[in-house]
Amino acid sequence: MQRLYDFLRRHPTWVDSFWAVVLLGITGASLTSVGGSRESTHGSPAVALPIAVLLCLAVALRRRMPEKMLLLVAAMGGVQLITDVEVMPADFAMLVIIYTVAADGARWASRFSLTGGLAAGTLAQIRWPEAETSALGVVLIAVFQTVPFALAWVLGDSIRTRRAYLAQLEERAARLEKEREAQSKVAVAAERARIARELHDVVAHNVSVMVVQADGAAYVMDAAPDQARKALETISGTGRQALAEMRRLLGVLRTGEHQESGEYVPQPDVEQLDDLIAQCRTSGLPVDFKVEGTPRPLPSGVELTAYRIVQEALTNTRKHGGPNTGASVRLVYFDDGLGLLVEDDGKGAPHELYEEGGADGQGHGLIGMRERVGMVGGTLDAGPRPGGGFRISALLPLKPAH
């Protein structure tokens, strides 16, 4: 049964042709039954039969050429009125064509079919009035004959509206699917950018510590073997820490790796600033660290941002501050946010590293800082400090800015 239904859907003209043949057979039987009496009162069967054939042809081709078949049916209706061929079964094609044009035809054809259908009943009563019927009866009969044409048009127009609604739903679903795909691509790009920032912070900080320690170990290798050994131990610990963080970050890019290696290491927070600063002091950078206000739990995004800003600032101090440079870190808890102030008394970074936020491509660390601060709705100010050195000031709100 399903195969038959699919076949009929694929060949609608064959289905329409079948019903057209059935309608022509019924009309031919009707014309034959009245015989010669129809010629004297309702027109000659020789004239009625070609009209019936053309009306049935319109039924067969209604879905291929709805507008043309509408004009053909209208013309046959006019010929019936002129040649006095009274209503016959083939006139059912008028209802079919009105429905078809209202559902699938052009708008002008739909309006034309509605006008013709509403006028058909009245024209038939004027051309072939019922004998011994009052004027009111003629009007009622005309109205009754008009109702099927109006219903056929309303049904067809309803089908058109429903198809348009379904097409709109399908178009909206396709658009939403494309938007979801676009959002997924944006999310992937954002995640990759986040991983790139994390890798930059991890590599820049830890490698700079290792370079400083390696230079120090080479310098005191002969004079102070204990200090050299301690520097090498620091290099080893820093390298392991860097590898662990890089493995965690790169694991995000590998599907299912977390299932093999266990849970990821938690993201750094402000409580780990003590360890970070102790590591800097061990590498030879004196850092004065103070906390003002009442410490309290903060959103994870704010804590990670604060940690990375301090890490990047101290890394830049080691890179660009020069020898005998000291740094200070201030962490201030406000009622509605967290303040950071990182300063050093070195020679300061080259001007191009902070001009326009490092937009020239050389100050990637400052660009990453600004991106991180912008993600949490905060503000960042970076530049030379009066009297020498470099200053980085950031304010991180506890709620993102609207």
Side-chain angles (χ1 to χ4, degrees):
M1 183 61 69
Q2 183 63 34
R3 296 175 63 180
L4 176 61
Y5 178 72
D6 294 338
F7 175 81
L8 296 179
R9 283 176 61 96
R10 291 193 302 268
H11 303 86
T13 304
W14 291 17
V15 178
D16 294 337
S17 300
F18 169 78
W19 291 114
V21 171
V22 172
L23 182 61
L24 182 61
I26 295 174
T27 304
S30 175
L31 294 177
T32 303
S33 64
V34 297
S37 62
R38 191 168 183 83
E39 181 179 357
S40 59
T41 58
H42 300 296
S44 170
V47 178
L49 185 59
I51 295 176
V53 171
L54 291 176
L55 288 174
C56 294
L57 177 65
V59 173
L61 301 179
R62 66 186 182 93
R63 279 187 269 199
R64 283 181 173 269
M65 300 175 287
E67 292 83 5
K68 293 180 179 179
M69 294 303 102
L70 172 65
L71 296 178
L72 176 61
V73 168
M76 292 303 99
V79 172
Q80 279 187 261
L81 293 174
I82 296 172
T83 59
D84 193 23
V85 176
E86 198 176 352
V87 178
M88 54 184 172
D91 290 325
F92 183 77
M94 296 182 181
L95 295 176
V96 177
I97 292 300
I98 289 176
Y99 162 80
T100 303
V101 172
D104 301 319
R107 279 298 181 184
W108 69 266
S110 177
R111 291 190 290 267
F112 179 77
S113 67
L114 176 62
T115 303
L118 295 178
T122 302
L123 293 175
Q125 282 301 304
I126 294 174
R127 186 69 176 85
W128 303 290
E130 295 290 339
E132 299 180 358
T133 303
S134 63
L136 179 60
V138 172
V139 171
L140 292 177
I141 293 174
V143 171
F144 179 78
Q145 291 178 342
T146 303
V147 170
F149 294 95
L151 290 178
W153 186 89
V154 169
L155 180 60
D157 191 68
S158 299
I159 295 297
R160 177 196 292 268
T161 303
R162 178 174 176 80
R163 288 174 180 171
Y165 175 71
L166 293 177
Q168 184 180 11
L169 289 181
E170 293 177 356
E171 188 272 336
R172 182 182 301 176
R175 186 174 66 253
L176 290 176
E177 183 66 23
K178 292 181 180 179
E179 290 178 357
R180 279 194 295 268
E181 292 178 358
Q183 291 174 356
S184 299
K185 293 180 180 179
V186 170
V188 170
E191 180 65 12
R192 289 179 177 176
R194 184 190 70 81
I195 293 173
R197 289 193 299 269
E198 294 289 328
L199 285 175
H200 171 272
D201 294 338
V202 170
V203 173
H205 172 73
N206 291 287
V207 171
S208 64
V209 171
M210 294 167 67
V211 170
V212 170
Q213 293 292 326
D215 291 341
Y219 182 75
V220 300
M221 179 68 71
D222 297 329
D226 293 339
Q227 293 184 13
R229 186 181 300 108
K230 185 176 181 181
L232 292 175
E233 291 175 354
T234 302
I235 293 174
S236 176
T238 303
R240 289 191 179 93
Q241 180 183 354
L243 286 175
E245 291 198 40
M246 291 178 63
R247 188 178 297 111
R248 172 180 61 82
L249 291 173
L250 295 176
V252 177
L253 302 177
R254 299 193 181 98
T255 303
E257 180 171 334
H258 63 284
Q259 298 176 358
E260 300 175 4
S261 59
E263 296 295 330
Y264 292 140
V265 178
Q267 295 280 17
D269 53 26
V270 294
E271 293 184 358
Q272 298 183 28
L273 287 177
D274 289 327
D275 297 334
L276 175 65
I277 291 172
Q279 185 185 53
C280 292
R281 290 169 179 168
T282 303
S283 65
L285 176 64
V287 181
D288 180 27
F289 179 48
K290 290 185 179 179
V291 178
E292 300 178 7
T294 303
R296 62 185 182 276
L298 300 174
S300 58
V302 173
E303 296 212 11
L304 176 61
T305 299
Y307 181 91
R308 292 305 187 193
I309 289 176
V310 174
Q311 184 184 50
E312 181 64 28
L314 295 178
T315 299
N316 289 340
T317 297
R318 280 195 299 270
K319 286 182 179 179
H320 310 294
N324 302 321
T325 301
S328 64
V329 178
R330 297 291 182 271
L331 189 66
V332 184
Y333 287 88
F334 298 106
D335 293 337
D336 57 351
L338 180 68
L340 285 173
L341 179 63
V342 183
E343 297 179 310
D344 65 64
D345 55 5
K347 64 180 182 180
H351 182 69
E352 63 270 15
L353 288 183
Y354 55 86
E355 185 182 24
E356 297 181 357
D360 62 344
Q362 298 183 29
H364 296 290
L366 289 178
I367 293 177
M369 285 190 199
R370 295 187 187 280
E371 290 180 351
R372 287 184 182 278
V373 172
M375 289 175 61
V376 297
T379 58
L380 177 73
D381 182 28
R385 191 181 67 157
F390 203 78
R391 170 187 292 167
I392 294 177
S393 176
L395 179 61
L396 310 177
L398 296 185
K399 294 183 180 178
H402 294 288

